[in-house]
Amino acid sequence: MMAISTFSNQRALQKYNTRDTISAYALVGPSLVLLICLLIGPSLAVFAISVTNWQFGAQSFSFIGLQNFRELFDDRVFLSSLSNTFIYVAVVVPSVLGLGLFVALAIESRKEFQAFYRAVHFLPVMATLAAMAIAWEALLHPTIGLVTRLAVQLGLGSWNFLHDPRLVLATLCVIGVWQHLGYAMVLFLAGLKAIPSDLYQAAEIDGVDHPLDRLRYVTLPMLGPVIMFLLIVITLKALETFDTVAVLTQGGPENASELLLHTLYVESFQFFRTGYGAAMTVVFLLIVIAIIFLQAKVLDKRVHYS
Amino acid sequence: MANVSATDITKIFGGTSVLNSVSLDVRDGEFLTLVGPSGCGKSTLLRIIAGLERQNFGSIAIDGKAVDAVRPKMRNVAMVFQSYALYPYMTAEENIALPLVMRKLTAWQRLPLIGSWMPGARARRAEIAREVQDVANALGLGPLLSRKPSQMSGGQRQRVALGRAMVRHPDVFLMDEPLSNLDAKLRVQMREEITGLHRRLGATFIYVTHDQAEAMTMSDRVAVMKSGDILQLASPQQVYSDPENIEVAKFIGSPQINLIPSIVNEKAELEIFDMKVAGILPASIRPGMSVTIGLRPEALKLALDDSSDGLLAHVTYVESLGSDSYIHAKLVDRTTAVIARATPAEAATIGNGTRVRLRFSPKEALIFSDNGERLRSNNCLPILRKVGG
């Protein structure tokens, strides 16, 4: 009797387990399909196209191995685009994080006009960058631009921010910082609000009462997860900067403002060298993955998640 | 070692007064507890002593020196918070070491990476590590030093917080409800540990709690606070058996003191429903006045209905705790609820609805005037004294 009931219990249990497994697959299914269609599939297609000489619209193409990649590293435009992109990321990401934290701390330290300052700094994040880029163009115009005229008035000489090869990348960097600052600020503000005031008070009694010490021993470690997140997101956003280049400079003058995504777009969709563009995309993807992986690997160990 | 004195401390938050000119003298090496319901101002007073909050009026002195303009870290006080306020990203060791790191190392020696190459830094660091180890051993934290707070239990975190307070040998320990996040069993254990610590260190402890059991068991003296005033400052035994105020009597003691309304008759006797008590009233009390009689549950003795004296009551509920039983009953007006303590043997003879007599010795009755002041049989009502001249 006993044995039979145990046996039938086992059967029932097995049935439940099977049902659980089926429903688990059913739940994962839709997102798995989407992931394959929208992400993994296209990525594989890009890898495949990158080893061909296909041109957009062409009837035929042939396998050319790593020819595209070899060509890439002899391509002066690509190489300067690559180095410009690295410089751009190296300037924009730390500036956005540093300034974002600074602005957030400044807003947090005063009770007045908090909402106003928050909104003002967040505006660029919500605005369409292509439209904003035109506003920037007007501001930076070599003869009638407000900023240029101001520089002249202040006796700083005449500047051609968007057409001087020595200045153009720096100008794009400034616009990039302006664009992402609000996003970093809002996340930092949220992070600051989540730090319990007890901790600052305990620190004060422990002797941590210089503002810099407070920053080092309490604020920054408590913001660790936010910093980690922002570092990755802002790096990604900086890597894929496109609108400002396309609207303001088209990569010129002398490729001085060429950034990877713009170069890639020009090769693929203006010159229709799809195979070559795909090879560039592969390099771009590998860079993105490498950077994110490195950041996650190095920083995750040092970040405290509560 | 230091005494702490607060003189006429007033604190106003946005128009409401949280502390009304409170004065308090804590003796050197004393364990003093501030106890009271939430919102009574006890934590604010502690934080003013710590220097985390600034009073609007009044002065704080530690060891005889006014510290009103002194920053918290220079007051030589340590504080343990209710939330422990441990740095979650630091190990237990780093948590305990931080007060020493901030005091013993120069800003140069604390610099990341190059700090340890500064002259003298290594020797100081080694010294700090030794002191941290000593404190950890004293608290039984040795094996946990490399863990972060998230990897520790509540009791262990509590000990780390204590260690962080102890490590720099402060004159005064301030504790803000340090045990209220622990479970009941651990709380009793930590109660013992903290009193043991107080004895060992001999430092002055100021301890804030809303738990009267903690106040009663741990302190040398208890300050009972309510609505920004200290109602009574006395030994635990005294606040229990000799409260100066009905609020103190109500707050201290569990189950709560029984409060029974009563009238003074023409013969200067107390009339409590059908019972009359003579000879315990202050001489100057006027007939016709209503007073409140306070009787602790253990002051009420159970007798059966047929006995001649005592308050008539109907038992509503018998609560058995094993060693003791609490008899819940209603008096003859059917609204005044009282609780009497009885032995299990006594409790076994009665059940819900049983009519009993509750007897008490008149000298155990605490008499309070309508405004809550205690009326002692050998002194008179303050108000009446004023009226009388």
Side-chain angles (χ1 to χ4, degrees):
Chain A
M1 196 59 201
M2 188 66 184
I4 292 168
S5 82
T6 325
F7 180 68
S8 68
N9 277 349
Q10 276 302 307
R11 287 278 300 271
L13 195 66
Q14 226 161 42
K15 218 168 96 184
Y16 271 117
N17 281 341
T18 325
R19 205 181 291 170
D20 273 358
T21 315
I22 292 171
S23 57
Y25 277 110
L27 288 169
V28 171
S31 60
L32 194 67
V33 170
L34 283 177
L35 207 64
I36 290 171
C37 291
L38 298 176
L39 223 82
I40 298 172
S43 304
L44 290 179
V46 166
F47 273 102
I49 296 169
S50 71
V51 290
T52 68
N53 62 357
W54 188 45
Q55 301 215 336
F56 190 70
Q59 298 298 316
S60 64
F61 58 85
S62 50
F63 175 77
I64 55 166
L66 295 179
Q67 179 71 46
N68 280 331
F69 292 94
R70 240 171 274 138
E71 195 183 326
L72 263 184
F73 290 98
D74 289 329
D75 183 345
R76 235 168 36 82
V77 178
F78 173 76
L79 288 179
S80 74
S81 173
L82 197 63
S83 80
N84 286 345
T85 306
F86 278 127
I87 293 170
Y88 184 83
V89 170
V91 171
V92 168
V93 174
S95 310
V96 165
L97 259 66
L99 281 174
L101 180 61
F102 179 79
V103 172
L105 286 170
I107 290 178
E108 181 71 9
S109 68
R110 298 284 302 242
K111 292 283 161 276
E112 302 90 10
F113 306 119
Q114 275 198 357
F116 171 74
Y117 286 124
R118 257 203 317 264
V120 164
H121 285 281
F122 198 64
L123 219 53
V125 182
M126 297 185 293
T128 315
L129 194 64
M132 283 294 143
I134 293 170
W136 275 105
E137 192 171 23
L139 282 174
L140 299 174
H141 191 279
T143 52
I144 57 163
L146 191 67
V147 177
T148 336
R149 304 257 311 236
L150 203 66
V152 174
Q153 289 294 315
L154 290 173
L156 298 173
S158 157
W159 300 82
N160 195 343
F161 291 103
L162 290 174
H163 301 103
D164 185 335
R166 289 165 304 169
L167 278 180
V168 68
L169 191 62
T171 308
L172 287 186
C173 284
V174 170
I175 297 176
V177 172
W178 168 85
Q179 179 194 353
H180 299 303
L181 186 63
Y183 184 72
M185 175 210 69
V186 164
L187 286 183
F188 275 132
L189 275 176
L192 286 175
K193 285 236 189 309
I195 302 178
S197 58
D198 270 9
L199 221 49
Y200 283 111
Q201 290 168 355
E204 207 174 335
I205 290 180
D206 286 344
V208 183
D209 56 2
H210 190 280
L212 283 178
D213 283 334
R214 231 179 2 240
L215 196 66
R216 172 178 168 196
Y217 289 104
V218 184
T219 312
L220 284 180
M222 286 305 281
L223 288 179
V226 177
I227 295 173
M228 175 78 194
F229 174 80
L230 278 176
L231 202 60
I232 289 179
V233 170
I234 303 291
T235 304
L236 280 180
K237 286 185 179 233
L239 276 171
E240 54 191 37
T241 302
F242 174 77
D243 342 27
T244 36
V245 184
V247 176
L248 291 176
T249 68
Q250 288 84 47
E254 299 164 27
N255 302 325
S257 65
E258 219 27 282
L259 296 184
L260 267 183
L261 211 62
H262 184 257
T263 316
L264 196 156
Y265 162 80
V266 170
E267 287 294 343
S268 307
F269 298 103
Q270 287 188 348
F271 302 157
F272 296 121
R273 299 179 61 200
T274 314
Y276 191 60
M280 222 179 262
T281 311
V282 169
V283 174
F284 181 72
L285 260 179
L286 290 179
I287 291 171
V288 170
I289 292 170
I291 290 179
I292 303 308
F293 187 74
L294 200 73
Q295 287 179 342
K297 201 81 187 154
V298 173
L299 283 170
D300 222 21
K301 267 187 241 155
R302 309 187 49 180
V303 171
H304 152 81
Y305 295 94
S306 50
Chain B
M1 305 308 110
N3 58 330
V4 177
S5 71
T7 318
D8 297 329
I9 296 295
T10 298
K11 176 72 186 174
I12 299 163
F13 277 126
T16 30
S17 177
V18 189
L19 290 172
N20 315 316
S21 193
V22 167
S23 294
L24 178 71
D25 271 302
V26 189
R27 299 173 196 137
D28 183 11
E30 184 177 30
F31 195 124
L32 185 132
T33 301
L34 301 172
V35 68
S38 54
C40 70
K42 54 193 191 301
S43 284
T44 309
L45 182 56
L46 192 78
R47 294 155 57 82
I48 288 174
I49 295 171
L52 295 173
E53 209 91 61
R54 190 151 299 169
Q55 68 272 26
N56 295 84
F57 305 103
S59 172
I60 300 286
I62 296 175
D63 204 12
K65 288 184 280 287
V67 293
D68 303 303
V70 178
R71 282 180 299 165
K73 76 164 176 182
M74 306 299 286
R75 293 191 179 192
N76 208 9
V77 298
M79 188 151 168
V80 178
F81 293 80
Q82 178 175 2
S83 63
Y84 318 136
L86 297 177
Y87 310 110
Y89 37 83
M90 293 185 188
T91 62
E93 183 173 16
E94 290 164 332
N95 264 289
I96 298 176
L98 191 67
L100 294 181
V101 168
M102 296 310 294
R103 279 173 175 77
K104 297 198 166 186
L105 297 181
T106 63
W108 287 104
Q109 288 169 334
R110 282 190 286 111
L111 281 180
L113 300 175
I114 54 167
S116 57
W117 298 97
M118 292 290 151
R122 275 153 192 250
R124 296 263 180 89
R125 288 259 179 206
E127 191 186 316
I128 290 171
R130 248 194 331 273
E131 289 183 47
V132 170
Q133 194 64 51
D134 288 345
V135 168
N137 290 341
L139 290 168
L141 283 171
L144 303 173
L145 276 181
S146 58
R147 291 208 198 159
K148 292 198 172 161
S150 55
Q151 300 163 311
M152 286 188 270
S153 70
Q156 291 167 339
R157 284 182 216 181
Q158 176 65 72
R159 273 195 206 112
V160 175
L162 281 173
R164 188 174 61 175
M166 279 163 64
V167 75
R168 60 193 166 84
H169 309 294
D171 292 335
V172 182
F173 282 79
L174 306 173
M175 305 201 173
D176 190 359
E177 310 223 7
L179 304 186
S180 50
N181 283 353
L182 300 177
D183 62 62
K185 195 174 159 200
L186 203 53
R187 209 177 302 165
V188 174
Q189 187 194 331
M190 287 305 290
R191 231 146 70 178
E192 266 177 51
E193 283 194 31
I194 290 178
T195 40
L197 195 67
H198 172 245
R199 268 198 307 278
R200 266 207 321 277
L201 300 174
T204 310
F205 275 47
I206 304 178
Y207 187 100
V208 162
T209 182
H210 65 269
D211 180 348
Q212 46 119 349
E214 281 174 26
M216 298 296 283
T217 52
M218 298 170 80
S219 347
D220 296 324
R221 284 195 301 162
V222 178
V224 184
M225 293 185 70
K226 192 175 185 204
S227 318
D229 292 302
I230 294 182
L231 299 177
Q232 185 169 8
L233 173 57
S235 71
Q237 191 49 49
Q238 206 178 347
V239 286
Y240 183 77
S241 57
D242 191 14
E244 280 175 5
N245 188 294
I246 199 166
E247 296 296 341
V248 176
K250 267 156 69 177
F251 191 77
I252 303 291
S254 171
Q256 219 185 16
I257 193 167
N258 298 302
L259 295 171
I260 304 164
S262 164
I263 296 263
V264 181
N265 69 11
E266 262 69 58
K267 287 182 269 177
E269 294 169 328
L270 273 177
E271 271 186 26
I272 314 168
F273 301 112
D274 59 338
M275 189 182 165
K276 291 187 180 64
V277 186
I280 58 168
L281 282 175
S284 55
I285 202 158
R286 283 183 309 187
M289 218 178 129
S290 64
V291 293
T292 304
I293 310 296
L295 286 163
R296 297 283 179 197
E298 63 271 21
L300 290 173
K301 299 279 181 295
L302 216 59
L304 289 177
D305 187 21
D306 47 19
S307 69
S308 54
D309 60 339
L311 291 162
L312 189 62
H314 294 266
V315 175
T316 54
Y317 175 52
V318 179
E319 187 182 23
S320 175
L321 299 178
S323 60
D324 287 311
S325 292
Y326 287 110
I327 314 295
H328 297 243
K330 288 253 164 79
L331 296 185
V332 282
D333 66 343
R334 300 201 174 269
T335 51
T336 309
V338 294
I339 298 175
R341 195 169 80 186
T343 62
E346 287 172 312
T349 63
I350 55 176
N352 290 0
T354 311
R355 281 155 60 92
V356 292
R357 290 268 177 188
L358 299 170
R359 288 195 284 191
F360 59 89
S361 142
K363 57 176 200 294
E364 287 188 90
L366 308 169
I367 306 167
F368 301 99
S369 74
D370 270 353
N371 62 6
E373 293 288 331
R374 171 83 182 280
L375 301 173
R376 289 174 211 277
S377 46
N378 55 355
N379 70 2
C380 32
L381 234 180
I383 295 172
L384 290 181
R385 195 190 295 151
K386 267 184 217 154
V387 171

